[in-house]
Amino acid sequence: MELNQIVTSIQSKQEAIQSVYFVGCGGSKADLYPGFYFLRSNAKKLIVGHYTANEFNYDTPAAVGENSIVITCSLGGNTPETVKATSLAKSLGAHVIAVTHEPESPLTKDADYVVTHGFFESYSAKMDKMTKILTLAVEILNAFEGYDYYEQFMDGVEKIYGAIDEATKLLVPQAKAFGEAYKDAPVIYVMSSGATTEVAYSFSICLLLEMQWVNSGSFSDGEFFHGHSKSWKKTSHSCS
Amino acid sequence: MELNQIVTSIQSKQEAIQSVYFVGCGGSKADLYPGFYFLRSNAKKLIVGHYTANEFNYDTPAAVGENSIVITCSLGGNTPETVKATSLAKSLGAHVIAVTHEPESPLTKDADYVVTHGFFESYSAKMDKMTKILTLAVEILNAFEGYDYYEQFMDGVEKIYGAIDEATKLLVPQAKAFGEAYKDAPVIYVMSSGATTEVAYSFSICLLLEMQWVNSGSFSDGEFFHGHSKSWKKTSHSCS
């Protein structure tokens, strides 16, 4: 089912959608952020929330119910907290969309709709999860409140995959040089802001800490002039 | 003006409050988090947002207007981005509450209401900012949607200052021992979750990075079982 068909289907069952929640853990939580950020900025009536799965499970927002859309996300579809959140949201009457690379995984069992994304095929496939979730957010805003830039967004999103693969070719040499230069850095801090704030977060926790065992922390660059960054000069390297 | 009088005054001007925004930078952004978290969990109709000030200034939520309450916070009342957010919110017709230690500071110039908090007098005074913002959130929920545990909260909040000062006496020796043991740690990671998630964040950026020049990062402990923490065993120490 196409993303716009999922939203049309929800709308046919419940015209009065009042809240939209994005729920996941780790890198998948981060990949939900641009969709959350878009709706939080642009919606005039929708309640929008972004949760780590167990906070959703154990301190479930009072507004979750039949007027809610809950989007859960797990790459392999096995993250226990996110699987539980999917079932919980369904039991509360919400319209639940599971986003995963594995269409037959436990995450999809209690979901009303399943969005399958690429991942291993190319660099742009790695961004497919984030892109589809952002597109879902745009479809939701357009369906329930209207969105003036809908056509432009859909035109742009078709081009993003090619643009990512082209950009990767240009940037891989710089990335390799960065890796060589800073492979022994004691700490690497990562900064970002706006819709990509949690790209810094997932770069830090997934790519540096988990995969490289390089110490790392991440911050919104809204914090850059507020004190703590003066300590970085002494001992560490940062990228943004 | 007492906190409940501020909310009553707003209600007398605008019964149809639809959204509440918490806006600040650094430690003050973190101190807004428990109030934001409370409303996000418990409100059934209110849109609730928590912003670093320049994201609020440059990507202002579409829902900000005369049906909004905006709470801005800066300890000394001079943080330029937060001062600007206060003026911007006022210009959009929102009901603006400035929370600061300095009642005559720039932050208060365009605010409709000013909440002054303690800070230097004692350990519990350092928590006064966070406590008053959380209490404001409870007053807002009670006024606009009702809150079943209002009396219990108000009873508890009276006792929290004494409890903090008593707890400090017990914990200072342990804190000193921790400081002695880990003063040369290459990195200290801080974890927390729920309403106190950003206490870990401010402990990391304000107390460790800014004041001690100790490398640090913070995470929701919802992430603890998701990969990156296995790298910590090798090189670092964590507290939660």
Side-chain angles (χ1 to χ4, degrees):
Chain A
M1 195 182 272
E2 297 292 320
L3 300 177
N4 62 344
Q5 293 174 321
I6 290 174
V7 177
T8 303
S9 169
I10 292 171
Q11 200 167 23
S12 73
K13 296 175 194 163
Q14 178 57 267
E15 181 66 31
I17 289 295
Q18 186 200 14
S19 56
V20 183
Y21 296 97
F22 297 83
V23 182
C25 295
S28 287
K29 173 171 179 279
D31 283 346
L32 291 159
Y33 190 81
F36 159 74
Y37 183 95
F38 171 82
L39 272 186
R40 186 182 65 156
S41 282
N42 291 288
K44 289 186 176 155
K45 294 180 182 167
L46 291 166
I47 292 171
V48 190
H50 182 221
Y51 283 81
T52 193
N54 260 354
E55 286 190 4
F56 185 86
N57 294 333
Y58 291 106
D59 192 7
T60 312
V64 175
E66 63 184 20
N67 301 108
S68 307
I69 296 172
V70 177
I71 301 170
T72 62
C73 181
S74 165
L75 176 63
N78 286 303
T79 309
E81 301 95 315
T82 315
V83 172
K84 184 174 173 181
T86 306
S87 306
L88 174 66
K90 177 73 178 164
S91 75
L92 292 169
H95 306 266
V96 186
I97 306 169
V99 182
T100 177
H101 183 61
E102 298 293 343
E104 303 299 323
S105 59
L107 188 76
T108 67
K109 193 171 74 66
D110 286 332
D112 296 298
Y113 308 95
V114 176
V115 173
T116 309
H117 60 80
F119 193 75
F120 297 102
E121 302 81 2
S122 62
Y123 278 99
S124 62
K126 290 197 193 309
M127 296 292 111
D128 192 31
K129 180 164 53 164
M130 202 186 279
T131 305
K132 283 189 167 152
I133 292 163
L134 175 59
T135 305
L136 261 180
V138 171
E139 293 285 2
I140 289 168
L141 186 68
N142 193 50
F144 292 99
E145 297 192 9
Y147 179 50
D148 289 345
Y149 302 100
Y150 179 81
E151 296 299 335
Q152 289 95 319
F153 177 86
M154 290 302 161
D155 181 54
V157 89
E158 277 192 20
K159 297 170 180 158
I160 194 73
Y161 295 91
I164 289 168
D165 287 326
E166 285 304 308
T168 305
K169 287 182 208 163
L170 291 172
L171 291 169
V172 159
Q174 293 178 48
K176 283 189 173 168
F178 179 90
E180 282 294 330
Y182 298 114
K183 67 185 168 52
D184 298 319
V187 184
I188 297 178
Y189 291 109
V190 194
M191 285 192 296
S192 188
S193 63
T196 62
T197 297
E198 294 211 358
V199 173
Y201 171 76
S202 61
F203 189 84
S204 177
I205 68 165
C206 300
L207 302 189
L208 292 173
L209 269 161
E210 180 174 358
M211 296 181 191
Q212 314 285 341
W213 290 32
V214 170
N215 279 309
S216 181
S218 63
F219 309 92
S220 162
D221 50 25
E223 306 292 22
F224 188 65
F225 297 110
H226 295 288
H228 62 283
S229 40
K230 68 188 178 190
S231 69
W232 299 351
K233 292 175 190 161
K234 193 168 64 97
T235 57
S236 53
H237 305 281
S238 62
C239 51
S240 63
Chain B
M1 195 182 271
E2 297 293 320
L3 300 177
N4 61 346
Q5 292 173 321
I6 291 174
V7 177
T8 303
S9 169
I10 292 171
Q11 199 168 24
S12 73
K13 296 174 194 165
Q14 179 55 269
E15 180 66 31
I17 289 295
Q18 186 201 13
S19 56
V20 183
Y21 296 96
F22 297 84
V23 182
C25 296
S28 285
K29 173 172 179 279
D31 284 346
L32 290 158
Y33 191 80
F36 159 74
Y37 184 95
F38 171 82
L39 271 186
R40 187 182 66 155
S41 282
N42 291 288
K44 289 185 176 155
K45 294 180 182 168
L46 291 166
I47 292 170
V48 190
H50 182 222
Y51 283 81
T52 193
N54 261 353
E55 286 190 3
F56 185 86
N57 294 333
Y58 292 106
D59 192 8
T60 313
V64 175
E66 63 184 20
N67 300 108
S68 307
I69 296 172
V70 177
I71 301 170
T72 62
C73 181
S74 165
L75 176 63
N78 287 303
T79 309
E81 301 95 315
T82 316
V83 172
K84 184 175 173 181
T86 306
S87 305
L88 174 66
K90 178 71 180 168
S91 74
L92 293 169
H95 306 265
V96 186
I97 306 169
V99 182
T100 178
H101 183 60
E102 298 294 344
E104 303 299 322
S105 59
L107 188 76
T108 66
K109 193 173 74 66
D110 285 333
D112 297 297
Y113 308 94
V114 176
V115 173
T116 309
H117 59 80
F119 193 74
F120 298 102
E121 302 80 4
S122 62
Y123 278 100
S124 62
K126 289 196 194 310
M127 297 291 111
D128 192 30
K129 180 165 51 164
M130 201 188 281
T131 306
K132 283 189 167 151
I133 292 163
L134 175 60
T135 305
L136 261 179
V138 171
E139 293 286 2
I140 289 168
L141 186 68
N142 193 51
F144 293 97
E145 297 192 10
Y147 179 50
D148 289 345
Y149 301 100
Y150 179 81
E151 296 299 334
Q152 290 95 319
F153 177 87
M154 291 300 161
D155 181 54
V157 89
E158 278 191 19
K159 296 169 181 159
I160 193 72
Y161 295 92
I164 290 168
D165 288 325
E166 285 305 308
T168 306
K169 287 181 207 162
L170 290 171
L171 291 169
V172 160
Q174 293 178 47
K176 283 189 174 170
F178 179 90
E180 282 293 330
Y182 297 113
K183 67 184 166 55
D184 298 319
V187 185
I188 298 178
Y189 291 109
V190 194
M191 285 191 296
S192 188
S193 63
T196 62
T197 297
E198 294 211 358
V199 173
Y201 171 76
S202 62
F203 188 84
S204 177
I205 68 165
C206 301
L207 303 187
L208 293 173
L209 269 162
E210 180 174 359
M211 297 181 192
Q212 314 285 339
W213 290 31
V214 170
N215 278 308
S216 181
S218 63
F219 308 92
S220 161
D221 50 25
E223 306 291 21
F224 188 65
F225 296 111
H226 295 287
H228 61 282
S229 40
K230 68 188 177 191
S231 68
W232 300 349
K233 290 176 190 161
K234 192 168 64 95
T235 56
S236 53
H237 305 280
S238 62
C239 50
S240 63

